[in-house]
Amino acid sequence: MQQEFKTPIPVVSCAVVNNSRVLLLRRAIDPFPGKWAFPAGHVEPGESAEASIVRELKEETNLDLEVRYLFSMGLEVENGNAYLSMTFVAYTDVDDVTIDEESLDWQWVPLETLALEHVDWAFPNHRKIAKALSTGAMS
């Protein structure tokens, strides 16, 4: 029997790093409200992945940052949708973040493995990204 094909939805996320800390946003919206994630969002029609994450960073954190592409991965989350997740990293020395209505809170979390193990992550791929950053695998 042939497996049903699902067209993946393109999404982007960005690990924002500041002095050995990573920025996390506590989600106010579905999916997974109340859980923590990197700034992220959907790619809009006609938009490149890079332009999309720069726009999402500005909307969600009020940060204007240059991003560097890291990798992409296909995944399916609990809601049954297939996604193509494109991950970026950005570095900043700005400590203050202004969040929009998509987030309840924000925090800088040390990039130490133990600190990240206790985060209630919204998305499993964000946990993988954080672990890779904390071990220097994405430097």
Side-chain angles (χ1 to χ4, degrees):
M1 184 170 146
Q2 189 174 8
Q3 185 177 13
E4 179 185 343
F5 177 78
K6 294 181 182 179
T7 301
I9 299 166
V11 294
V12 290
S13 62
C14 187
V16 178
V17 179
N18 174 324
N19 296 319
S20 300
R21 303 174 300 167
V22 66
L23 177 64
L24 297 183
L25 304 178
R26 188 173 205 171
R27 296 178 59 80
I29 60 172
D30 284 327
F32 315 114
K35 295 192 177 211
W36 294 92
F38 294 124
H42 291 88
V43 177
E44 294 182 358
E47 189 175 49
S48 71
E50 291 83 0
S52 178
I53 195 57
V54 168
R55 174 185 51 76
E56 290 288 349
L57 284 167
K58 182 65 175 175
E59 290 172 3
E60 295 181 9
T61 67
N62 201 37
L63 294 173
D64 289 307
L65 299 175
E66 289 187 29
V67 298
R68 180 172 57 96
Y69 175 78
L70 292 176
F71 62 85
S72 62
M73 68 175 77
L75 55 119
E76 190 170 330
V77 295
E78 294 172 8
N79 63 10
N81 289 322
Y83 294 90
L84 173 60
S85 176
M86 295 162 280
T87 303
F88 295 82
V89 65
Y91 296 89
T92 185
D93 57 1
V94 176
D95 288 322
D96 197 28
V97 174
T98 303
I99 57 174
D100 68 359
E101 68 281 351
E102 292 185 8
S103 298
L104 299 169
D105 198 5
W106 64 275
Q107 65 176 322
W108 292 107
V109 177
L111 269 175
E112 300 165 1
T113 302
L114 286 177
L116 298 171
E117 288 292 324
H118 300 290
V119 173
D120 188 14
W121 291 100
F123 307 108
N125 62 317
H126 289 200
R127 178 189 304 272
K128 290 178 186 175
I129 295 162
K131 282 186 180 184
L133 280 169
S134 70
T135 61
M138 293 187 183
S139 304

